[in-house]
Amino acid sequence: MSKELSLQETGALLLAAEKIVLCTHVSPDGDTLGSTLGLARFLLQQGKQVTVFCDDKINDSLGFIPGMELVQRPVAGTKLAADVLVVIDASSFDRIGIVADVVEYKELLNIDHHISNDRFAEYLYLDPKAAAVGEVMVDLFQAMGWSMDKETATCFFTAINTDCGSFRFANTTPKTMRKAADLLECGVEPNFISESLEVRSRKTVELLGKVLPSLTFEAEGRIAYLTITNDLYDADANTDSFVSYPRSIEGVDVAIMFKAVEPAVTRVSMRSSKVDVSQVAVHFGGGGHIRAAGCTIYAPVEEAREQLLAELRKQL
Ligand code: AMP
Ligand code: MN
Ligand code: MN
């Protein structure tokens, strides 16, 4: 069980540390990377020894985030001592890959916004109402009186923009927009960020063309899903946005993408307009938010699909 910290206590814990390791979750998105790199930039400016770990491949479209060159992939078998390990935008310890084995930390701090957070860390700052950890970061910086330069603000705006779907999703609150406005005051160019996030590789669009024919409906059209079979799977393509296609179809409550990342490992992404898909994800050891959640099922894609749909039908 975690001790829940205030923003002040979170800031004080960071300022008290010298050697700090920050880490993102696997399958990194703009929120985990933007939040991590913005905080890393500030801590470096304070003269801290900062290491940034991400135990996964990073999509090219996120390469524009300021400070991306700081990100290192942890090497199995190595050890790194730290005063504090800060886990950002991850709701459980298994979401950080081998960072958990490599870093020998004295204190463990988790900054998160997932309703499914399992309170794995000794210290936790959790705000499930925040659209993104990027929003929490702006709260933290403002509570502590820490200044944000244009690059830091660009990191946090990218984080917020990613998780609230450019201010279109239900998690967008008046506060989300106010914090984003504060970031614009710091010089952020929103068009640069959205244009950068929108860039797709040819491979990605070609894969989308092959995946769209798999579109299938269930439950009188209330469920729609896409399937990326193992022969189509391409680690270099960015499939993050694919689930938005079934999501946008009229009458669809739950949109799903099943991706066979290995013959017996299936990644599941869910988006919903009514049903609480985080509960379905947690049932399979994953997590997320009410309207956006995911999990990994250790079974071939067809089998994983049957298991997940059976659980989802119970929720409908
Ligand atoms: P995605 O479908 O990958 O965009 O993820 C949607 C939301 O669910 C994000 O907030 C993720 O952090 C979360 N999520 C996805 N997969 C998992 C997982 N295996 N475990 C916990 N949370 C997850
Ligand atoms: Mn995330
Ligand atoms: Mn997030």
Side-chain angles (χ1 to χ4, degrees):
M1 220 38 192
S2 306
K3 176 174 173 4
E4 287 212 36
L5 303 183
S6 65
L7 288 171
Q8 298 289 344
E9 290 168 328
T10 305
L13 193 154
L14 291 168
L15 291 178
E18 270 316 308
K19 293 179 81 175
I20 304 175
V21 178
L22 305 179
C23 84
T24 73
H25 62 72
V26 293
S27 307
D29 51 32
D31 186 26
T32 194
L33 280 164
S35 298
T36 299
L37 289 174
L39 181 59
R41 186 178 176 85
F42 170 78
L43 293 170
L44 283 167
Q45 287 165 352
Q46 304 313 300
K48 307 289 182 191
Q49 279 185 53
V50 180
T51 303
V52 178
F53 276 144
C54 173
D55 185 24
D56 210 343
K57 190 183 168 295
I58 297 170
N59 285 322
D60 291 343
S61 65
L62 298 171
F64 74 94
I65 301 176
M68 196 55 96
E69 66 284 353
L70 297 172
V71 183
Q72 300 179 39
R73 191 125 187 205
V75 178
T78 60
K79 294 284 177 200
L80 178 66
D83 295 325
V84 58
L85 170 62
V86 190
V87 176
I88 296 171
D89 191 38
S91 55
S92 57
F93 208 38
D94 58 3
R95 289 281 286 158
I96 64 172
I98 67 163
V99 176
D101 309 321
V102 166
V103 182
E104 290 175 327
Y105 52 86
K106 291 183 192 146
E107 288 172 327
L108 181 61
L109 168 66
N110 179 206
I111 305 178
D112 190 31
H113 69 129
H114 290 91
I115 194 150
S116 64
N117 190 288
D118 69 7
R119 288 151 210 273
F120 66 90
E122 180 187 9
Y123 298 108
L124 172 66
Y125 187 85
L126 177 68
D127 181 2
K129 290 203 191 77
V133 175
E135 190 179 317
V136 175
M137 286 296 166
V138 180
D139 284 338
L140 174 66
F141 273 59
Q142 292 176 340
M144 297 303 293
W146 296 348
S147 67
M148 290 180 281
D149 59 18
K150 181 180 174 180
E151 286 74 22
T152 309
T154 298
C155 290
F156 296 156
F157 194 95
T158 303
I160 295 174
N161 192 74
T162 299
D163 269 23
C164 69
S166 305
F167 310 95
R168 290 174 300 122
F169 297 161
N171 57 0
T172 308
T173 65
K175 180 172 160 260
T176 310
M177 287 203 161
R178 286 197 184 97
K179 298 295 161 182
D182 293 343
L183 295 171
L184 293 179
E185 305 270 16
C186 299
V188 165
E189 294 167 65
N191 60 312
F192 164 73
I193 295 174
S194 16
E195 284 158 18
S196 304
L197 288 170
E198 272 162 23
V199 174
R200 301 274 169 268
S201 66
R202 286 189 188 189
K203 246 185 192 163
T204 295
V205 179
E206 283 162 6
L207 178 62
L208 176 64
K210 293 180 197 156
V211 170
L212 281 178
S214 74
L215 180 66
T216 308
F217 296 92
E218 278 254 342
E220 287 93 43
R222 292 176 64 198
I223 302 174
Y225 58 84
L226 295 173
T227 305
I228 307 181
T229 50
N230 204 239
D231 56 313
L232 286 181
Y233 176 68
D234 177 348
D236 293 330
N238 178 358
T239 59
D240 288 356
S241 62
F242 288 13
V243 72
S244 68
Y245 291 89
R247 179 181 172 269
S248 63
I249 300 169
E250 62 180 344
V252 170
D253 290 339
V254 182
I256 316 170
M257 184 176 70
F258 298 96
K259 179 160 84 169
V261 294
E262 283 173 39
V265 181
T266 304
R267 278 268 309 129
V268 182
S269 278
M270 290 179 278
R271 299 293 181 269
S272 142
S273 53
K274 293 191 186 83
V275 185
D276 180 354
V277 283
S278 79
Q279 285 188 28
V280 181
V282 166
H283 179 86
F284 291 97
H289 311 281
I290 292 170
R291 291 160 192 261
C295 56
T296 300
I297 300 179
Y298 295 88
V301 72
E302 291 80 13
E303 200 182 313
R305 203 166 58 198
E306 281 324 303
Q307 287 179 20
L308 189 117
L309 291 172
E311 190 56 32
L312 182 61
R313 281 187 211 104
K314 291 187 204 163
Q315 298 276 331
L316 278 184

